[in-house]
Amino acid sequence: MEKNSEKKIKIKSAILLDTDYIIKNDETIVRLLLKAKKTFYLYDKYLPYFYVDAPYSEAQKILALKTIQKGREIKPIKIEQVKKIVKGKEKELLKVYFKYPSDVPIFRELIKTYEKYEYDILFGRRYLIDKGLGPFYKIKYKREGRWIKEILGFEEKDTKLRIIALDIETYNPQGMPRPDKDPILMISYYFLDEENNIEKGEVLSYKKSSLPYVKVFENEKEIIENFVKIIKELDPEVLVGFNSANFDIPYIIERAKKHNIKLDIAKDGTSIRIDKRGQYQKILINGRVHIDLYPVLRFFSFIGTYKLNRYTLETAYQSIVQESEWKKEIDRLEIYKIWDEEKNLDKLFEYSLFDARATLEITKKILPLEVELSKVTCLPLSDTIGATSSQLIESLILHHATKRNEVVPNKPDEQTARERALNPIEGAFVKTPNPGIYEKIMVFDFRGLYPSIIISHNIDPFTIIAKEEEHKYKEGEYYVSPIGVKFLKEPKGIIPYILEKILNARSELKNMLKKLQPASTEYKTIWARQQSLKILANSYYGYLAFARSRYYSRACAQSITAWGRYFINKTIEDAQKNGFEVLYADTDSVFLLLNNKTKQDALNWMEKYNSSLPGTMELELEAYYPRGVFVSKKIEKKEEYTGAKKKYALLDENGGIKIRGFELVRRDWAIIAKETQKKVLEAILKEGSQQKAIDVVKETIKQIRENKVPIEKMIIETQLTKNLEDYEAKSPELVAALKFNRKTKGEKLTRGSIIRFVITKDLNAPEDLFKNCKRLKQAQTKKSSLTNISLKAETVEYAKNYDSEYYINHQVIPAVLRILKELGINADDLKLGGNQKGLFQFD
């Protein structure tokens, strides 16, 4: 990092990947991680600061304040007076500068009288925000040596990355490997250089193999040393694994310590670090991005980008890569035996390399979306990975606020956040359907209902007219929400301003997609960009209602949902006035029965109705469905039933079935129940055959009673949501987990574990099984309760049989009768035999 005034000034350009800072020669220096033919650092000087809402007459008093921390004097360097927009109004603030970023949080505590702002923005991001830069921007700059003299311009640019996916296998005689004792047997990696179209994989190990991709070394120490060497040589920008933040990387770190190996694979030569703050452990490698696919896939599944019923590498590979191939020939618990016996070593090498390749293939699908989120939000990729929706939105707001000369509000303190969270906001309107089978259904929904309400009514915390200021404004200068909150029409608030930009950009991108081939690189890039915009647009209502948001506003959130209820009811009324029967409505969708009307009649109504809607609000056709089934649910604490919301199945014009809320899309029902329910739905919706639906159920019951259904189809999967000792009910998953933990010598099941169990015929739970479960009610642990079906639960590893009558009466029948009873089918029609009374009342 030399500085030489005689060096020639050059004009160069490169892709900006990230920024951070270092302290060098008693100065704060920003490091810009850039990519040209390779990645490298350049340096710039920039001072940290925050704002104080105080008159300029107080500047000298603030400048004179100081404190001592660890023997160092902390005080401001300088103070400037600046004009900024604060909470919608222009004000003069003091901009207080410091020597180091760490001075900011310490010094702000010294100022007690005045409000402070923007003291908690990370310094690397502060630099990007103030310079108007973002990751994956191609910046043009003047440089002198390694110092940036001036940034001349920038543009967003597509960037091809180098990616390495890794997987390790370890010795595991106790089931769960012990990093202090059990060595790493092999490190597998798959490398992709997108720019040069290079892809290759290798396994590093210390036992011989005939496979060409296995590199053999003397011992564990050498494979770790060569892994470090490979990372440095291949120089990837992205390192990815599956659950690697919790297992692979920490394990490598521990084994490296044992051998005194420095894992100096960071771009600046520093070692890997582990950040244990937050919900998920994070791996920090300066100059490289680590991606753990496990939390990333959970996030994308939660927001609906991908639908995964299990968060495993196998499920993700099959669902996202859409490959049925899965080489699951190795039992992980048997790895140490294979290693010792050396009979199937090549299969073990293949197994490990395949895991690395599968990880890379999934990354190819999800990384473009993460990159586009990074570009749009101006949040570095290392921070975008694992970010929540609110963090993504906040980054975007910070950048736009600076461009608009606005100061962002502070985050709430803990007490304020707790008080907000205890005061929920009334939600959307739902018109429940009458249960039954219906023909000719047209479904319409509002295009981005909440975002369009926000834009059309300029909903923002700082466009709200305070009660004491209402006299200043004339009618027509503001919108009035259904709950009486008044929002100024001008100027445009930052929330609707950003949302409008997002929706307009997404609309343009969707039009571009229609002209492109889905297999093309351009299509994939544009799809990822529009999907990232969709994620952000759908998160703004939640951000306004989020208790820890900088822009939290109960009045805004309540007004949005109130307008949502108003417009969905208005839509229902208008449809009914025009002769349509409204079957169902929920939040932003209406389901119309055509009866004697045509599709064109419904489309004509939609077009006419849209002309009456304000601003950007628009109703659009989702689809036409020839047939659909809607089911009922029991009213709580009553022996009555009503139509169920979000629980239906629809047949589309191409023969596909859209399913919402049924057991086959939930993981906590047995596979046999899901399969039978799907077959029943297909018989009703595709073939219109009541008899075939009955026959499907009868045949399934017959197969179960004759033990002809494989035990794999009886597996029930769920997640342990508490520590085992904290369970208050004797559930099957608790029983199965307790039994498993007693029997296994390996990894124990605990909170967060995914458990897969079967209800067996065997009532073999020991009386002291619940001795550590202090929160269970005493009555549940008595010997008389051992007839409970839960006590028959066993994890897949130890289940030898299944309880036929349980799966018939508590899995298959409940799953299908929710549908069949809408056709008037009961137990007698199914001819199940036996005493079935009481089995068909479902919550």
Side-chain angles (χ1 to χ4, degrees), residues 489-762:
K489 292 183 177 181
E490 294 291 342
K492 191 176 285 290
I494 192 168
I495 300 294
Y497 169 80
I498 295 172
L499 258 178
E500 189 166 32
K501 282 184 168 293
I502 288 173
L503 292 185
N504 288 341
R506 183 166 184 248
S507 179
E508 289 179 16
L509 292 171
K510 287 175 75 176
N511 289 332
M512 290 171 66
L513 286 177
K514 295 173 184 177
K515 303 172 185 177
L516 298 172
Q517 293 297 321
S520 68
T521 301
E522 188 178 4
Y523 181 96
K524 292 173 183 176
T525 301
I526 292 175
W527 181 89
R529 169 58 67 96
Q530 68 82 29
Q531 187 68 19
S532 72
L533 295 174
K534 178 182 178 182
I535 290 168
L536 294 168
N538 290 339
S539 301
Y540 271 85
Y541 161 72
Y543 184 67
L544 288 168
F546 177 47
R548 297 184 182 277
S549 167
R550 293 179 188 269
Y551 284 80
Y552 172 87
S553 171
R554 183 173 177 80
C556 286
Q558 282 183 314
S559 294
I560 293 165
T561 56
W563 255 312
R565 294 189 297 273
Y566 167 79
F567 282 110
I568 202 71
N569 276 294
K570 182 175 183 285
T571 305
I572 291 169
E573 291 171 8
D574 199 85
Q576 289 172 335
K577 283 180 185 177
N578 283 272
F580 293 97
E581 182 181 349
V582 179
L583 168 63
Y584 174 52
D586 185 354
T587 310
D588 61 352
S589 301
V590 287
F591 292 56
L592 306 184
L593 295 177
L594 291 183
N595 296 325
N596 295 323
K597 289 183 176 290
T598 66
K599 294 180 192 177
Q600 192 57 49
D601 290 335
L603 292 172
N604 291 342
W605 164 76
M606 179 192 74
E607 188 175 341
K608 181 181 177 183
Y609 179 65
N610 277 338
S611 65
S612 71
L613 294 172
T616 63
M617 296 191 68
E618 182 182 2
L619 198 67
E620 57 187 1
L621 174 68
E622 182 207 288
Y624 168 76
Y625 298 98
R627 189 178 291 121
V629 57
F630 293 76
V631 301
S632 60
K633 70 170 184 177
K634 186 179 177 182
I635 299 174
E636 191 174 353
K637 298 181 181 179
K638 293 185 180 181
E639 292 301 317
E640 299 176 25
Y641 287 80
T642 185
K645 64 179 182 179
K646 300 186 190 300
K647 196 153 193 166
Y648 53 83
L650 302 167
L651 176 72
D652 66 31
E653 292 183 279
N654 297 317
I657 297 178
K658 177 181 179 179
I659 296 168
R660 290 290 180 270
F662 283 111
E663 284 68 32
L664 63 92
V665 296
R666 288 172 46 188
R667 71 182 184 190
D668 55 349
W669 281 71
I671 295 169
I672 188 65
K674 298 176 185 179
E675 286 184 350
T676 309
Q677 189 183 71
K678 185 176 182 181
K679 289 176 183 177
V680 165
L681 284 171
E682 288 175 343
I684 293 169
L685 294 175
K686 288 187 176 182
E687 303 181 39
S689 174
Q690 175 176 311
Q691 188 56 50
K692 183 167 182 179
I694 294 172
D695 291 344
V696 164
V697 181
K698 288 164 72 175
E699 178 60 24
T700 300
I701 291 171
K702 179 175 179 290
Q703 292 286 320
I704 293 173
R705 282 212 171 109
E706 294 175 358
N707 288 310
K708 291 182 179 179
V709 178
I711 195 170
E712 289 78 15
K713 292 194 175 185
M714 302 302 178
I715 294 170
I716 301 167
E717 182 179 300
T718 190
Q719 186 173 30
L720 296 171
T721 56
K722 305 176 184 177
N723 294 320
L724 300 189
E725 61 270 21
D726 293 334
Y727 271 77
E728 298 173 1
K730 193 166 45 183
S731 61
E733 63 266 27
L734 171 64
V735 174
L738 290 170
K739 289 182 183 178
F740 177 87
N741 286 351
R742 282 197 172 197
K743 295 174 183 177
T744 186
K745 292 181 181 179
E747 182 181 4
K748 306 295 183 184
L749 294 169
T750 185
R751 180 179 180 177
S753 298
I754 302 295
I755 182 169
R756 304 173 76 212
F757 64 89
V758 175
I759 302 299
T760 68
K761 297 176 182 177
D762 308 318

Side-chain angles (χ1 to χ4, degrees), residues 348-507:
L348 186 57
F349 292 135
E350 288 175 1
Y351 168 85
S352 181
L353 187 65
F354 184 82
D355 276 3
R357 185 171 76 80
T359 300
L360 180 63
E361 292 300 322
I362 296 168
T363 304
K364 288 179 187 178
K365 298 288 185 180
I366 68 161
L367 188 57
L369 181 50
E370 290 282 9
V371 167
E372 292 305 320
L373 279 171
S374 177
K375 289 179 182 178
V376 171
T377 62
C378 297
L379 194 64
L381 184 60
S382 56
D383 295 317
T384 304
I385 303 296
T388 63
S389 297
S390 63
Q391 289 168 334
L392 294 171
I393 289 167
E394 190 168 282
S395 177
L396 186 56
I397 292 176
L398 285 169
H399 279 261
H400 279 286
T402 299
K403 290 176 184 177
R404 288 162 56 104
N405 200 38
E406 296 180 15
V407 170
V408 297
N410 296 324
K411 292 180 179 178
D413 58 33
E414 284 297 320
Q415 182 178 345
T416 302
R418 282 196 296 269
E419 289 171 357
R420 290 173 177 179
L422 291 171
N423 199 7
I425 291 160
E426 185 180 353
F429 171 79
V430 177
K431 178 190 183 303
T432 56
N434 290 322
I437 312 296
Y438 295 91
E439 308 281 335
K440 297 195 296 183
I441 304 165
M442 290 280 274
V443 179
F444 296 92
D445 56 24
F446 281 98
R447 183 170 61 88
L449 178 62
Y450 285 175
S452 63
I453 286 173
I454 292 170
I455 294 168
S456 299
H457 301 92
N458 202 26
I459 297 176
D460 186 275
F462 306 124
T463 61
I464 296 173
I465 301 175
K467 291 287 184 185
E468 62 271 18
E469 293 188 349
E470 287 183 358
H471 66 279
K472 297 181 181 178
Y473 302 98
K474 299 177 184 177
E475 190 173 342
E477 293 182 331
Y478 52 79
Y479 302 103
V480 184
S481 80
I483 60 170
V485 180
K486 295 178 179 177
F487 297 92
L488 282 171
K489 292 183 177 181
E490 294 291 342
K492 191 176 285 290
I494 192 168
I495 300 294
Y497 169 80
I498 295 172
L499 258 178
E500 189 166 32
K501 282 184 168 293
I502 288 173
L503 292 185
N504 288 341
R506 183 166 184 248
S507 179

Side-chain angles (χ1 to χ4, degrees), residues 1-5 7 27 45 144 147 149:
M1 194 180 63
E2 75 282 357
K3 186 177 180 183
N4 187 340
S5 59
K7 283 184 173 288
E27 290 182 307
K45 290 183 180 179
E144 184 178 15
W147 290 84
K149 305 301 290 182

Side-chain angles (χ1 to χ4, degrees), residues 25-58:
N25 298 327
D26 206 29
E27 290 182 307
T28 296
I29 298 168
V30 176
R31 295 196 304 184
L32 289 79
L33 181 65
L34 297 162
K35 176 181 171 70
K37 290 183 179 179
K38 61 179 183 177
T39 53
F40 57 96
Y41 283 113
L42 290 183
Y43 304 91
D44 197 1
K45 290 183 180 179
Y46 201 67
L47 291 177
Y49 64 86
F50 68 87
Y51 296 107
V52 181
D53 188 358
Y56 190 69
S57 58
E58 293 292 300

Side-chain angles (χ1 to χ4, degrees), residues 127-141:
Y127 179 87
L128 289 177
I129 291 166
D130 291 352
K131 296 288 186 178
L133 300 173
F136 303 105
Y137 280 27
K138 184 176 183 179
I139 64 170
K140 188 176 182 181
Y141 53 86

